[in-house]
Amino acid sequence: MLHAVFLSKPGDVAFAVNRKDTVLLSVLNKTLRAMPPNAMTGNLSMYDKPLHGITLKDFIKQNILLLVSVLVLIIGVMLTLLYKERKAARETASLNERLQESQQLKQALQKAESASEAKTNFLSNMSHDIRTPMNALMGYTMMLKPKIKDEQLLGYVEKMEQSGNLLLSIINNVLDMAHIESGKMEVNEGYNVVSDDFKEILGVFGVEAKRKNISLQYNVQVEHKHIMCDATKIKEIVSNLISNAIKYTPEGGTVQLNVRELPCSRPGYVRIQTEVADNGIGMSKEYLPMIFDAFTRERNTTVGKISGTGLGMPIVKKLVEMLGGTIEVESELGKGSRFIVTLEHRIADEALYKPQEQEAESAQGLALLKGRRILLAEDNDLNAEIALFLLQNMGLAAERVENGAECVSRLEQQPRGTYDLILMDVQMPQMDGYTATQTIRALDDKEKAAIPIVAMTANAFAEDRKRAMAAGMNGHIAKPIDVKKLEQALLKLLG
């Protein structure tokens, strides 16, 4: 058996045999001696020493490629592990960053929700504080109207009533501006006659137009006058436009309100175009793109000391868009302005405006209400006097308590069936209307606990209606009190 032996003096050719195999060794030696010198280029070395171990240096020399491959593999593994470690570190850092951002967003959302809630509460309180005296003004005007026989005085009272209604509609929309921006404002459709709204608006602004000797012209060409629409918002739109037209038209000028019906491809709907035009001071081309921006005004109006907040046109624009319509503006400095509002409305059912049917239904409804007993919870003396007057005129018997606690106590003390319905104010001392309603609903006497309760309050936002229903109430009437709506609410629950 041959063995490889590492020589201290290596040559080109070397042989080695087992130490015990002397015969083979002898043959090899004789062969090598017999070979001519030119056949061998290296040195001859013979060993008969024992085999010795392999050194690290020798091993490296013999396995250099293998070692390099292993080293490359180790480096590759190390680099891979390092890359994964850094990637994991980056992902961890990114995750921590996202978690931090999420926490910041959560905090920002909480702040926004708190701010929104604070704004809603502020607007609700403002609505309540404004509507309460408005209810008294409009209520007493309504109470005074039947007692006046002088036609001139009656005309004054009617204009006061129209102005009050218009002021109320303006208050509603100004207070709802935040709701428009947040998308919370709702469109409330109801039956309406096109010409009635515009005549009411012209009656209000007629006095100012006459004072400035401005010719206020009105033209309506509408076939389908009976429509379903949000009359309050439409009045606010047209009132703003006419108010501005009169304000920015010099004495002796002309303001036109033209209303006409356009072709409409939508079945069951009517398209109405309302145009307000004047020959006043007009606007520059540079200002027109900014006309619907909040708090902006044309320079010539400020120089001319014409009062205004710069909020009218932004409100108009938002209301028109909310109603699904369009508004266009044409104006030339020194020549006047022209605003065109186009809206589509659902055509009202004939049953809503047939006089004979309406009169019969109203008479029948009042007959059903006659003699019914109402418990009124109202802390404001003026509002209570107006409500009692309206209820008594409908033929109802009404009693008043001044807060929610008295309302609950009165209901508990009286026998079952004493009261048919409760009209509940919301903001009252000692116990508010919501708490009083919840307390009544929890009474052991199931018949008393089920008595119909209607909120009659100056809290008039959509959120207030929802909160009233959530508290267990059966209806919601906003102040100032609309007699027709009050009658409808009572008939719905008692008819």
Side-chain angles (χ1 to χ4, degrees):
M1 182 177 180
L2 293 175
H3 294 274
V5 178
F6 291 91
L7 306 176
S8 58
K9 296 179 180 179
D12 291 336
V13 180
F15 296 95
V17 298
N18 195 304
R19 183 176 183 181
K20 296 179 180 180
D21 199 349
T22 55
V23 177
L24 179 57
L25 181 60
S26 176
V27 172
L28 287 172
N29 284 332
K30 288 180 180 180
T31 303
L32 290 172
R33 289 191 188 96
M35 290 177 64
N38 59 359
M40 298 177 59
T41 57
N43 297 318
L44 176 65
S45 298
M46 292 180 293
Y47 292 85
D48 57 1
K49 296 180 179 179
L51 297 173
H52 59 83
I54 301 174
T55 65
L56 178 60
K57 184 178 179 181
D58 295 333
F59 179 79
I60 292 173
K61 285 182 178 180
Q62 276 201 341
N63 301 278
I64 185 68
L65 293 176
L66 177 61
L67 292 174
V68 169
S69 300
V70 171
L71 183 61
V72 169
L73 179 62
I74 293 173
I75 293 173
V77 171
M78 291 176 66
L79 290 174
T80 301
L81 293 175
L82 182 61
Y83 169 77
K84 289 184 176 181
E85 181 183 358
R86 290 186 177 179
K87 183 179 179 182
R90 286 196 300 269
E91 290 177 350
T92 301
S94 177
L95 179 60
N96 291 334
E97 186 177 348
R98 287 198 298 270
L99 288 173
Q100 187 176 1
E101 289 177 355
S102 176
Q103 188 66 24
Q104 291 174 347
L105 288 173
K106 186 176 180 181
Q107 293 174 353
L109 178 61
Q110 290 174 346
K111 289 181 180 178
E113 289 175 345
S114 299
S116 177
E117 183 178 358
K119 182 167 64 176
T120 299
N121 291 336
F122 170 77
L123 290 173
S124 180
N125 291 333
M126 281 292 295
S127 173
H128 182 275
D129 293 343
I130 293 174
R131 284 172 176 275
T132 298
M134 279 296 298
N135 183 56
L137 289 170
M138 296 180 67
Y140 282 117
T141 301
M142 182 171 52
M143 293 166 65
L144 180 64
K145 190 175 177 181
K147 299 181 182 298
I148 295 179
K149 305 303 180 184
D150 186 287
E151 290 188 5
Q152 187 176 12
L153 293 178
L154 185 61
Y156 293 157
V157 172
E158 287 176 349
K159 283 184 171 59
M160 288 172 58
E161 190 176 34
Q162 293 172 354
S163 298
N165 288 325
L166 182 59
L167 177 59
L168 180 62
S169 69
I170 293 172
I171 290 170
N172 289 339
N173 285 293
V174 170
L175 291 175
D176 279 344
M177 189 65 183
H179 287 66
I180 297 174
E181 294 174 346
S182 63
K184 294 180 179 179
M185 192 176 185
E186 298 177 354
V187 175
N188 298 312
E189 281 192 348
Y191 167 69
N192 204 47
V193 181
V194 174
S195 56
D196 290 352
D197 287 339
F198 297 124
K199 286 179 181 177
E200 181 180 323
I201 294 169
L202 291 173
V204 172
F205 289 104
V207 177
E208 177 65 15
K210 187 176 181 180
R211 187 186 68 80
K212 291 183 68 175
N213 193 28
I214 291 175
S215 174
L216 189 56
Q217 301 174 2
Y218 173 55
N219 179 40
V220 57
Q221 296 178 353
V222 176
E223 180 183 353
H224 301 91
K225 295 182 179 181
H226 302 277
I227 60 174
M228 301 297 293
C229 67
D230 192 324
T232 300
K233 293 179 178 59
I234 292 175
K235 288 178 184 177
E236 172 70 0
I237 292 168
V238 178
S239 297
N240 261 298
L241 296 178
I242 293 180
S243 174
N244 282 348
I246 294 175
K247 184 190 298 183
Y248 298 123
T249 299
E251 292 186 7
T254 302
V255 173
Q256 295 180 336
L257 173 60
N258 301 315
V259 184
R260 65 191 184 104
E261 182 175 331
L262 301 178
C264 183
S265 59
R266 199 174 174 190
Y269 282 76
V270 58
R271 177 176 292 181
I272 296 176
Q273 183 185 84
T274 304
E275 176 192 73
V276 177
D278 63 71
N279 59 352
I281 62 176
M283 294 172 284
S284 63
K285 293 181 180 179
E286 292 76 18
Y287 176 69
L288 282 178
M290 300 182 293
I291 189 172
F292 295 116
D293 295 341
F295 307 109
T296 60
R297 298 184 64 203
E298 174 72 293
R299 183 179 180 277
N300 62 349
T301 63
T302 56
V303 172
K305 297 183 179 180
I306 299 175
S307 62
T309 62
L311 280 175
M313 288 300 101
I315 291 176
V316 167
K317 174 75 169 176
K318 291 180 182 296
L319 290 175
V320 169
E321 291 177 346
M322 178 176 294
L323 296 175
T326 61
I327 181 168
E328 304 172 44
V329 187
E330 298 174 2
S331 186
E332 188 174 346
L333 201 60
K335 292 188 177 181
S337 302
R338 181 169 172 256
F339 290 83
I340 303 169
V341 176
T342 306
L343 297 168
E344 289 188 4
H345 308 288
R346 189 158 53 89
I347 298 173
D349 193 305
E350 289 185 2
L352 293 172
Y353 56 87
K354 285 184 178 179
Q356 294 180 351
E357 291 184 10
Q358 284 185 336
E359 292 175 5
E361 288 178 3
S362 179
Q364 185 180 4
L366 291 175
L368 291 172
L369 294 177
K370 190 173 182 179
R372 296 297 187 96
R373 294 178 61 83
I374 306 295
L375 179 60
L376 172 67
E378 172 62 70
D379 64 314
N380 186 284
D381 292 337
L382 298 179
N383 288 339
E385 183 179 357
I386 293 168
L388 291 172
F389 172 82
L390 295 176
L391 293 171
Q392 289 166 4
N393 274 2
M394 292 180 187
L396 295 156
E399 295 180 19
R400 178 210 176 188
V401 290
E402 296 185 4
N403 57 64
E406 289 184 10
C407 181
V408 175
S409 177
R410 181 72 61 87
L411 184 65
E412 287 182 313
Q413 292 171 4
Q414 296 297 326
R416 295 179 186 176
T418 300
Y419 303 109
D420 298 297
L421 182 141
I422 297 175
L423 288 175
M424 183 82 74
D425 189 18
V426 170
Q427 292 191 14
M428 295 183 290
Q430 295 188 33
M431 181 184 289
D432 62 64
Y434 299 134
T435 305
T437 300
Q438 292 168 343
T439 304
I440 291 171
R441 296 301 184 220
L443 292 176
D444 293 332
D445 189 321
K446 299 305 178 183
E447 185 176 334
K448 291 182 179 180
I451 186 172
I453 302 176
V454 176
M456 192 165 68
T457 172
N459 295 348
F461 290 125
E463 291 89 342
D464 299 315
R465 288 192 289 272
K466 292 177 182 176
R467 189 176 177 188
M469 300 305 168
M473 296 185 183
N474 305 95
H476 181 281
I477 299 172
K479 295 175 184 175
I481 301 168
D482 185 313
V483 179
K484 291 182 179 179
K485 291 182 179 179
L486 175 60
E487 183 181 323
Q488 288 171 0
L490 295 176
L491 282 172
K492 181 179 179 181
L493 296 170
L494 301 178

